[in-house]
Every structure is written in C-alpha cells, then in structure tokens.
Amino acid sequence: MPADFDTIVNLAKKRGFVFQSSEIYGGLRSAYDYGPLGAALLRNVKDQWWRSMVQLRDNVVGLDSAILQSPEVWVASGHVASFSDPLVECTNCNTRSRLDKLDDPEQCPSCGMRGKFTDPKLFNLMFRTHMGPVESEENVVYLRPETAQGIFINFENVRRTARLTLPFGIAQIGKSFRNEITPGQFVFRTREFEQMEMEFFCAPDESQQWFEYWLDERRSWYLDLGMTADNLRLRPHGKDELSHYSSGTSDVEYAFPWGWDELEGIANRSDFDLKAHADRSGKDLRYFDQPNNERFYPHVIEPAAGATRTTFAFLIDAYAEEIVNEDTRVVLRLDPRLSPVKAAVLPLSKKPELMEISAPLADRLRHRWEIEHDVTQAIGRRYRRQDEIGTPFCVTVDFDTLEDQAVTVRDRDTMAQDRVSLDKVEEYLAERLPA
Ligand code: GAP
C-alpha cells in the first residue's frame, strides 16, 4: 500500500525537502521550492536519468536548449492551435474545473451543485509573455510547455556536429511551464515543473520495435532504482486519449495515494514534428541515408518523464514505518543512489577528543559523497533523523574509537552495526554505495 498522502507532505515540509513557494507572503498556489534535501534528491533523480539515458549509451547525446524560443516553434508544433484543456466555470461558486478530469461532468467538485457549469471553453495552457520592452502581439513569446521542441529544432545541428547516424537519441532535462487549470496533489501537477525527455530518431519501419524497446527500458529504470514493482504499471492510451502528435502512447503509471496516475509518457511521434518544422521553417530536415542514397524523415520515439513528479513518487515509495523496541521508526528506504545524504558522521558527544576525529573524517569522506557531520542531540534522535531522510549509513565515533581507532557503521535498513577501522571507512562505504 502506498504511504498516506498527508504523511508524505508533512515529512517533506518538516525535513526540508519541499517548501511552499513565497511562503512568507502567504504562498503562491501550485509553486514549490526544493529545500536542501529536496534539491539533492531531485538532482540525484535527474543524474540517474542522465546516466542511464546519455552517459551509458553510445547513440544518445545531450542538449540544453533555451526556454524561450521563436513563437513559430509553437505554431509549427501545434501547441498554439491545440494545446488546450476544456475549461468550465461553476456559476454558483465560480470554481474553474477541467471538464475532462471531472468524475461527474454535471457536478461542481467544489460546491456540489449540479447543472451550473458554463459552456466549455478551450483554454490554451501556454504561458505568454513579451520579449523586450514593448508589450505588443508581435513580441509575444511563450514559456516552453515541453522540452521536446528544443530538440526537434536542433535536430540538424546536433546530427551534423555529433556526426550521428540513425538510430540515435537527443536527451534534455529542464524546466517546462503549463498554466494548468487544476494544479494539485502537492508537486504532482504544478505550473512550473521539470521534465526529462529524449527523442529517439529511427528508420520509419523500425519505429514499433524501438517503441517496445523504450517501454521496457523505461519501466526497468524505475525498478532498478528500487520502485516497488506492484506500484508500477504500463498503460496503453486509448485512441481518444492520444495527443495531436502521437500514433501510439503508453504511460508509465504509479500507484499514488489517490490512485494510478502518470509518471511518464512514451509516445510514437512518427515524423510529425520534423515534418511540421520543415514545412514552417522551409529547411530540409530529412535525414540522408548514405548507404541507400535516400532522404526521409526519421520517426521518433519519445520517453517523456517528469523529474519533479518522479522525485515525489520515489519519496512516496520509499516511505516506511516499522515498530522497533515498541517505538515507531520512520525510514525512507531510498536507493542509496537517490539518497540526499550518503553517510552521516556522528560523534557520540561534543567532547573535543571525539570531534577531533569525526570532523576530519567527515571532511575526508565529503570528497566522494554527500556527508552530514551532525553533532546535535542524543545519538538515538540523530539516528532517527537520518533514517527519516533516507541516509544509508551512520558512522559513529565513540569513546572506544580513542582506543581502537575504529568507528561503528550502522546500516539504515537492517540497523546492523559493523566496527570498521578508521582508515578503512572509505573502502567500506565505496563497496556499498553504487555510482
Ligand atoms: N513532450 C511530451 C510531453 O511533454 P507530457 O505527457 O505532456 O508529454 C511528460 O509530459 C511528463 O511531464 C508527464 O508524464 C509528467 O511526468 C510531466 N508533467 C507534465 N505536466 C506536468 C505538470 N503540470 N506538473 C508536473 N509534471 C508534469
């Protein structure tokens, strides 16, 4: 069973994973700031995605394109015309809702009145602003609603400079913005969020095979990072759900506390985007296949994940409570690769003779891992805090250390303790902390 929603939100706030944006001004709805632990967890999720999608592959390269792009991009991509959700407003309480997300299309989810909705209006989700000092229609630009288009418009630049031949992928991580009608469920649906997207270009007749390959790869990525298999599923889209560009999509879904919901969409975008940009820009974006001496538009398989949403899911999935010595122990069983802190160095007390050993030890370990040197409170409370933030190892310097030059290393999950010689701590951790 997934953890209770409020428990996770409270933990995230209490331990400094996530704060409400602009809290001192009463908060800005649907915007969040990632605190020290949240920023580290989010970065670790993104690093693991990059490692698996770019670093470990011979045929995938990275990109970091601009958030602001020519407005022509969004006309060509279809976003100006059709990146919209149906909006209805309740004439009784003025609440706005997304019609396609309502359980009952006649009933207001806020006041419960039936039959009080206005006619649905299509509401474009792109944030508009102006480039430069003049606020005119000619100066309109959009905050990108997906990172994908930055990849398509750079297809030829990247292919040429990285000397790529099909099949190959271009990957990108970055912020996207959508003026969602109904943001909610904490960081699950926000108006500013981060995506991790990869466009995989292939020969048209190989697209189905690559689609299946990427479904498998992406599902395995979550499982490899410790996500519970029963909480993860692949769900193919029905024909009526497909986006304007897609000829086939499956979602990776997670069993969130409110039910199954999307973590990632894996879409067969066919040649929709390259063709659309070639048509609008007048540039030839076809691929030249030298061995067969022919030009064609590659087809595209796109695994598109949400970094912020996935981070939230890993947090939920890792949360566990267990009874230890008649007390409840809260432990985040995060995969060590995702843990914000890899090891905590804890002197048993603040006595100078212990600190003289623990502080240099922490400094030494810091060169390789994220380390906390925590000297406050009783040792039991410090263990509890480290369990709650998912730290895989606690390294305790006690009075015996002065005699035997060894420390106690405690494992988060088993709570087993090993006595490790001071000069072997690095080796001990390196064997247990994967890259
Ligand atoms: N380029 C394709 C694309 O953007 P999408 O399904 O709209 O596809 C991909 O978005 C992923 O981005 C989603 O699966 C989700 O994880 C994340 N995402 C989309 N909208 C989001 C929002 N408002 N807040 C947080 N994450 C969001």
Side-chain angles (χ1 to χ4, degrees):
M1 273 292 286
D4 169 62
F5 178 72
D6 289 338
T7 307
I8 299 294
V9 172
N10 288 338
L11 176 82
K13 289 181 177 167
K14 175 173 118 192
R15 290 300 184 196
F17 281 91
V18 179
F19 307 119
Q20 177 75 60
S21 165
S22 319
E23 203 176 271
I24 61 168
Y25 291 103
L28 179 68
R29 203 174 147 240
S30 146
Y32 294 92
D33 301 334
Y34 288 76
L37 297 175
L41 177 59
L42 176 61
R43 184 165 47 77
N44 292 340
V45 168
K46 291 187 287 185
D47 284 351
Q48 285 303 321
W49 185 90
W50 194 266
R51 179 179 159 81
S52 131
M53 298 298 274
V54 181
Q55 186 186 335
L56 296 180
R57 294 178 195 273
D58 197 26
N59 60 352
V60 180
V61 295
L63 179 75
D64 193 347
S65 70
I67 287 173
L68 298 177
Q69 298 163 24
S70 162
E72 293 293 311
V73 171
W74 307 108
V75 177
S77 68
H79 284 80
V80 170
S82 52
F83 193 56
S84 315
D85 284 336
L87 168 76
V88 287
E89 188 167 339
C90 173
T91 51
N92 181 52
C93 71
N94 297 333
T95 298
R96 291 179 176 158
S97 306
R98 229 180 105 172
L99 184 60
D100 59 328
K101 291 282 178 189
L102 291 175
D103 292 333
D104 178 347
E106 291 297 323
Q107 188 173 27
C108 173
S110 180
C111 69
M113 292 284 274
R114 295 180 60 81
K116 293 288 180 189
F117 284 139
T118 54
D119 288 339
K121 265 194 303 205
L122 281 179
F123 173 74
N124 194 293
L125 299 186
M126 283 197 293
F127 277 95
R128 271 158 64 98
T129 185
H130 297 89
M131 192 87 137
V134 183
E135 292 199 7
S136 69
E137 277 305 301
E138 290 82 68
N139 296 336
V140 166
V141 286
Y142 301 96
L143 300 189
R144 69 178 175 200
E146 61 172 15
T147 61
Q149 295 305 321
I151 296 176
F152 293 121
I153 59 174
N154 278 293
F155 167 74
E156 189 48 25
N157 282 340
V158 176
R159 185 206 62 74
R160 192 184 62 251
T161 52
R163 296 166 298 141
L164 297 165
T165 52
L166 289 185
F168 66 85
I170 306 176
Q172 155 150 258
I173 297 177
K175 291 250 177 175
S176 293
F177 303 82
R178 296 181 190 177
N179 203 358
E180 299 280 1
I181 298 170
T182 47
Q185 279 120 340
F186 198 44
V187 296
F188 177 82
R189 181 173 292 104
T190 48
R191 295 192 170 115
E192 172 182 345
F193 54 97
E194 268 192 281
Q195 290 187 305
M196 310 184 286
E197 299 199 285
M198 198 269 287
E199 309 303 322
F200 192 77
F201 301 91
C202 62
D205 61 353
E206 291 178 0
S207 67
Q208 186 56 28
Q209 159 199 331
W210 284 114
F211 181 62
E212 280 155 27
Y213 170 84
W214 284 111
L215 290 184
D216 207 39
E217 286 289 285
R218 292 303 306 142
R219 185 171 178 276
S220 303
W221 182 78
Y222 294 95
L223 296 178
D224 176 58
L225 284 171
M227 208 168 256
T228 312
D230 286 348
N231 291 342
L232 205 66
R233 73 175 187 192
L234 283 173
R235 187 185 65 82
H237 277 207
K239 284 251 178 305
D240 55 331
E241 278 181 278
L242 291 177
S243 312
H244 60 276
Y245 51 74
S246 173
S247 63
T249 297
S250 281
D251 284 346
V252 180
E253 291 190 334
Y254 182 75
F256 282 96
W258 57 89
W260 289 101
D261 222 329
E262 176 185 341
L263 280 181
E264 167 164 357
I266 300 159
N268 184 341
R269 295 183 78 123
S270 67
D271 55 7
F272 177 88
D273 304 88
L274 286 181
K275 250 187 186 156
H277 287 301
D279 284 350
R280 190 139 191 110
S281 67
K283 300 282 185 302
D284 186 357
L285 297 180
R286 287 174 303 166
Y287 174 82
F288 180 58
D289 179 19
Q290 222 153 20
N292 296 312
N293 195 28
E294 57 173 349
R295 270 183 203 284
F296 59 87
Y297 288 105
H299 279 210
V300 174
I301 307 303
E302 176 197 64
T308 35
R309 194 177 277 190
T310 296
T311 299
F312 186 35
F314 275 121
L315 200 59
I316 294 171
D317 205 71
Y319 184 90
E321 285 180 15
E322 57 187 33
I323 303 295
V324 179
N325 299 333
E326 294 175 18
D327 257 353
T328 302
R329 175 173 96 115
V330 172
V331 54
L332 274 191
R333 295 193 192 280
L334 286 169
D335 182 286
R337 290 167 290 180
L338 300 182
S339 294
V341 177
K342 308 300 185 206
V345 179
L346 314 172
L348 197 59
S349 83
K350 280 188 192 165
K351 291 241 159 56
E353 57 269 41
L354 298 190
M355 300 274 274
E356 276 161 21
I357 297 174
S358 63
L361 173 62
D363 282 343
R364 215 172 73 215
L365 299 177
R366 243 187 270 288
H367 285 272
R368 294 188 65 176
W369 301 287
E370 294 85 353
I371 301 293
E372 262 193 19
H373 184 223
D374 187 358
V375 301
T376 56
Q377 298 182 319
I379 191 75
R381 294 186 74 148
R382 281 184 276 165
Y383 280 152
R384 270 210 293 285
R385 176 176 181 277
Q386 295 300 336
D387 287 343
E388 261 187 52
I389 66 172
T391 305
F393 296 103
C394 286
V395 180
T396 306
V397 175
D398 54 28
F399 290 100
D400 289 340
T401 308
L402 302 172
E403 309 299 323
D404 64 1
Q405 296 297 301
V407 289
T408 300
V409 184
R410 172 185 177 271
D411 181 291
R412 176 195 70 196
D413 297 333
T414 62
M415 290 187 291
Q417 306 199 348
D418 279 339
R419 198 75 186 160
V420 179
S421 166
L422 260 177
D423 59 359
K424 293 268 167 29
V425 177
E426 256 170 297
E427 198 178 307
Y428 181 95
L429 292 179
E431 279 167 13
R432 291 161 178 79
L433 289 170

